[in-house]
Amino acid sequence: MAKAAESPGDPGTTTPRPLFAGLSDISISQDIPVEGEITIPMRSQIREFDSSTLNESVQNTIMRDLKAVGKKFMHVLYPRKSNTLLRDWDLWGPLILCVTLALMLQSSVDSEKDGGPQFAEVFVIVWFGAVTITLNSKLLGGNISFFQSLCVLGYCILPLTVAMLVCRLVLLAEPGPVNFMVRLFVVIVMFAWSIVASTAFLADSQPPNRKALAIYPIFLFYFVISWMILTFTPQ
């Protein structure tokens, strides 16, 4: 049988204290200020205003973009391990190089009759190849974004564009074995340059055991462009 509860007045009975007993005796001093103001330093406001591109003129915007493209060209001409092309990617440089290369490979206005490649053919080959390599890189587990890969592959066409310009100048001379050997040497050197530059930026983004599978399509991509340059003969 359970014992009956003892009354509060019975001897030996302990009355439990409330859990928050004593808190009512604590008072908050009225001298402590509880109001304030959150302010942003002027330096950060000025820096944010300066970094905004909404207030700059069109000329400043174009010059800033051209300087960024020029810096990326220098990174391709002097390839070294750097994340500049990956961090500040853009497609202006690849577009300029692709259009320039396609225009130089188009031997005449009506290149369909003389066997030269059409502007659209070169444009599609370059961009379709770059997209295919990018998808292959992603499927292999590469930690690089789609547009970063397109940016690197497009900018690394710069050596081959220079090779095309040199070949056009060499073709102004009398055709012959020496002429072909000079063009062959220039194309091979620039082809190797494009491979080295692209792998310097893209190799570290691939798993160590799959780097060869990622580099092989890049080799084929630049080889096709190099072959188009070497076999180009204006009519």
Side-chain angles (χ1 to χ4, degrees), residues 107-178:
S107 56
S108 65
V109 178
D110 191 6
S111 58
E112 212 173 272
K113 295 181 180 179
D114 55 32
Q118 291 288 309
F119 177 89
E121 293 176 1
V122 179
F123 202 86
V124 169
I125 288 174
V126 171
W127 286 103
F128 180 76
V131 170
T132 303
I133 294 173
T134 301
L135 293 177
N136 176 72
S137 174
K138 296 297 292 183
L139 292 175
L140 290 175
N143 56 357
I144 186 174
S145 71
F146 182 83
F147 291 105
Q148 285 176 334
S149 180
L150 285 181
C151 173
V152 172
L153 293 172
Y155 270 101
C156 290
I157 299 177
L158 176 62
L160 293 176
T161 306
V162 175
M164 184 65 221
L165 179 61
V166 174
C167 289
R168 291 292 301 234
L169 296 176
V170 173
L171 286 171
L172 296 177
E174 190 69 22
V178 177

Side-chain angles (χ1 to χ4, degrees), residues 36-45:
E37 183 179 355
I38 299 176
T39 60
I40 301 176
M42 290 299 297
R43 287 185 178 180
S44 62
Q45 290 181 352

Side-chain angles (χ1 to χ4, degrees), residues 66-222:
L66 289 177
K67 288 180 181 178
V69 170
K71 289 180 180 179
K72 294 182 179 67
F73 282 161
M74 295 303 297
H75 280 281
V76 175
L77 292 177
Y78 299 97
R80 56 188 181 275
K81 288 190 176 181
S82 174
N83 61 350
T84 302
L85 286 180
L86 302 179
R87 184 183 65 249
D88 304 325
W89 63 266
D90 67 81
L91 299 180
W92 287 113
L95 180 61
I96 294 172
L97 292 173
C98 182
V99 171
T100 304
L101 183 63
L103 289 175
M104 287 192 294
L105 281 172
Q106 192 172 7
S107 56
S108 65
V109 178
D110 191 6
S111 58
E112 212 173 272
K113 295 181 180 179
D114 55 32
Q118 291 288 309
F119 177 89
E121 293 176 1
V122 179
F123 202 86
V124 169
I125 288 174
V126 171
W127 286 103
F128 180 76
V131 170
T132 303
I133 294 173
T134 301
L135 293 177
N136 176 72
S137 174
K138 296 297 292 183
L139 292 175
L140 290 175
N143 56 357
I144 186 174
S145 71
F146 182 83
F147 291 105
Q148 285 176 334
S149 180
L150 285 181
C151 173
V152 172
L153 293 172
Y155 270 101
C156 290
I157 299 177
L158 176 62
L160 293 176
T161 306
V162 175
M164 184 65 221
L165 179 61
V166 174
C167 289
R168 291 292 301 234
L169 296 176
V170 173
L171 286 171
L172 296 177
E174 190 69 22
V178 177
N179 190 305
F180 176 77
M181 293 303 296
V182 171
R183 290 190 290 121
L184 178 63
F185 174 77
V186 171
V187 171
I188 290 177
V189 171
M190 295 304 177
F191 166 69
W193 203 327
S194 294
I195 294 293
V196 172
S198 59
T199 53
F201 297 109
L202 297 178
D204 292 338
S205 64
Q206 300 298 323
N209 58 339
R210 297 181 179 179
K211 286 186 178 181
L213 296 175
I215 295 175
Y216 178 67
I218 298 176
F219 175 87
L220 291 180
F221 173 64
Y222 291 119

Side-chain angles (χ1 to χ4, degrees), residues 17-65:
R17 297 183 63 189
L19 183 62
F20 300 101
L23 292 180
S24 59
D25 299 334
I26 300 175
S27 61
I28 299 176
S29 176
Q30 299 296 328
D31 299 332
I32 301 177
V34 294
E35 59 183 10
E37 183 179 355
I38 299 176
T39 60
I40 301 176
M42 290 299 297
R43 287 185 178 180
S44 62
Q45 290 181 352
I46 296 174
R47 191 182 303 113
E48 182 180 356
F49 179 79
D50 293 339
S51 61
S52 176
T53 60
L54 297 177
N55 299 315
E56 67 179 2
S57 62
V58 177
Q59 181 181 358
N60 292 338
T61 303
I62 294 176
M63 293 304 298
R64 177 171 51 82
D65 292 340

